[in-house]
């Protein structure tokens, strides 16, 4: 089975279906990975942290287990509140409009480069409180991180370069954060960095290293995933014009359509876990200490949970997809991703009438294997006057 050809990555779903039927737990000898395909097992692996550990690499919250995870999550939650996210709505609208103002008059754009990539990075910079003059540096760090994430598990020249850039960027970020945090402590602002530096639970605070780790995790967790939610939504709408027509006719359907995009073309196709003990699953034993891949993109197409799972249905109810994970690691940015996609897609649908693919080439998948979505999506549209 090759999970990694372009064709497969554009449409992995038929293979996922075969796997769920024939071998919902699959050992891949070349990589030594155990892949899990069915909804119940994927959800179990994501949720049961006593059996499946998240410890894997840097000290980022997503790669920690309790008790460290419990402490970090409580502290970060104090700063990254639902209210602070909701307050971003007008700014997200303004940023979306700014990007569309630049692109729309041309009657065409690359949705990835011109809209879906810059927007989430600008929103995170805004939320953190990165001053406008530092945004270019912030964008560069984002590139370094995304390129590094593409090369995990590889040892070729490109991977070495990406890793060296990542190693070089870390002290740079640390110094930058040190300066900005000390400014925030003397002059607090209404931003996430100020709140992270003052958050306190049971007399404990986040250290400089904790804030640096979270800053780095946000650069990765919050940008590329949201880029793919936006591009995959447009891809789904182009592929299913009847469903788009329903949303256009009844705009309050958009949030439910976004949930369906998350299920149907899940941006983050899988996560990692390490078994803490021997685990019995589907009649096989996964030994302790092995890496497993719970394939979220497959779980979200499991017919046992989602009737007519290969149908894109903007009114699907219930829709218990696990695109944001489940349990203690449930995505902290889910409210932001939902808000951002609702605002950005509302603006896009309003401004770009009759959008369609600009060419009939099959879209090229993004380089990172764990993400699902196009690396470019040229679209054309008729320009609607506002
Ligand atoms: C469509 C967009 C997004 C998707 C599909 C997504 C997906 C996920 C998933 C599947 C997890 C769980 C990982 C696990 O169980 O190991 C997760 C965790 C996380 N996400 Fe997101 N995410 C998105 C957007 C965001 C945004 C916008 C942010 C922040 C600005 C964010 C921050 C985080 C953080 C901090 C965690 C770790 C939580 C923890 O370990 O307790 N994500 N995300």
């Amino acid at each position: 089975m090759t999970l990694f050809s372009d064709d497969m990555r554009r449409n992995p779903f038929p293979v996922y279906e075969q796997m769920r039927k024939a071998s919902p737990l699959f050992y891949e000898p070349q990589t030594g990975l155990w892949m899990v395909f069915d909804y119940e097992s994927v959800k179990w692996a994501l949720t049961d942290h006593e059996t499946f550990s998240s410890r894997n690499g840097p000290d980022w919250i997503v790669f920690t287990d309790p008790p460290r995870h419990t402490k970090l999550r409580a502290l970060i939650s104090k700063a990254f509140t639902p209210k602070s996210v909701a307050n971003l709505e007008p700014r997200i609208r303004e940023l979306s409009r700014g990007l569309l103002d630049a692109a729309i008059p041309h009657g065409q754009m690359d949705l990835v480069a011109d809209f879906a990539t810059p927007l989430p990075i600008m929103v995170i910079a805004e939320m953190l409180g990165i001053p406008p003059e530092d945004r270019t540096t912030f964008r560069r760090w984002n590139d370094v991180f995304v390129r590094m994430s593409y090369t995990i598990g590889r040892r070729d020249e490109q991977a070495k370069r990406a890793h060296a850039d990542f190693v070089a960027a870390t002290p740079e970020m640390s110094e930058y954060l040190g300066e900005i945090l000390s400014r925030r402590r003397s002059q607090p602002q209404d931003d996430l960095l100020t709140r992270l530096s003052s958050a306190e639970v049971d007399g404990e605070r986040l250290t400089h290293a904790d804030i640096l780790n979270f800053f780095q995790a946000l650069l990765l967790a919050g940008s590329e995933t949201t880029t793919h939610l936006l591009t995959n939504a447009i891809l789904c709408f182009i592929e299913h014009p009847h469903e788009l027509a329903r949303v256009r006719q009844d705009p309050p359907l958009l949030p439910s359509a976004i949930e369906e995009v998350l299920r149907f073309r899940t941006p983050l196709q899988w996560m990692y876990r390490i078994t803490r003990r021997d685990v019995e699953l589907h009649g096989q034993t996964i030994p302790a200490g092995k890496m497993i891949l719970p394939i979220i993109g497959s779980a979200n197409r499991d017919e046992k949970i989602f009737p007519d799972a290969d149908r894109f249905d903007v009114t699907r109810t219930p829709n218990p997809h696990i695109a944001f994970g489940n349990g203690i690691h449930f995505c902290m940015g889910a409210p932001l991703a939902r808000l951002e996609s609702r605002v950005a897609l509302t603006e896009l649908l309003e401004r770009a009438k009759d959008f369609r693919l600009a060419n009939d080439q099959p879209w090229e998948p993004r380089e990172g294997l764990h993400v699902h979505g196009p690396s470019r999506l040229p679209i054309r549209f008729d320009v609607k006057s506002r």
Side-chain angles (χ1 to χ4, degrees), residues 46-47 61-62 69 73 259 273 321-335 338:
L46 292 176
T47 313
I61 178 166
V62 67
H69 176 268
R73 179 115 184 176
E259 297 307 305
R273 288 293 189 270
H321 71 74
I322 47 174
F324 289 124
N326 192 61
I328 62 167
H329 289 283
F330 181 82
C331 177
M332 295 189 86
R338 285 178 165 135

